[in-house]
Amino acid sequence: MVLVRNNKKDAYYVVTPKTCSCPAATYNPGQPCKHARKYFPQPKVTAPAVDSIKPEGKWPGGHNGPVDEIMGVA
Ligand SMILES: [Zn+2]
């Protein structure tokens, strides 16, 4: 946890890897604000994580899976 002075230099934000007391973090709950990203660089797991949950394009043989067999549109 770090304290970050705001641009007006009249207040400090409490910054942790996932939260911040600045307005931007309040408006975007669940998303690290620029402070969190700056002081706690996020591990680059976003792209691989997204890829891993995407369905594979085609089944072996170019079919879309059992549905093609059922519908007869292989
Ligand atoms: Zn912030």
Side-chain angles (χ1 to χ4, degrees):
M1 188 197 86
V2 296
L3 292 176
V4 181
R5 202 199 296 258
N6 70 357
N7 290 335
K8 293 181 181 177
K9 305 207 186 307
D10 62 356
Y12 284 91
Y13 299 140
V14 180
V15 186
T16 73
K18 292 188 177 181
T19 65
C20 181
S21 57
C22 77
T26 302
Y27 293 146
N28 300 285
Q31 294 184 7
C33 70
K34 61 182 179 181
H35 306 109
R37 290 198 302 269
K38 178 178 179 180
Y39 292 95
F40 300 95
Q42 306 294 306
K44 295 182 178 180
V45 298
T46 303
V50 171
D51 285 346
S52 69
I53 62 174
K54 282 183 178 177
E56 295 297 327
K58 293 287 187 179
W59 285 42
H63 296 253
N64 281 323
V67 174
D68 279 355
E69 308 301 332
I70 296 170
M71 300 297 288
V73 293

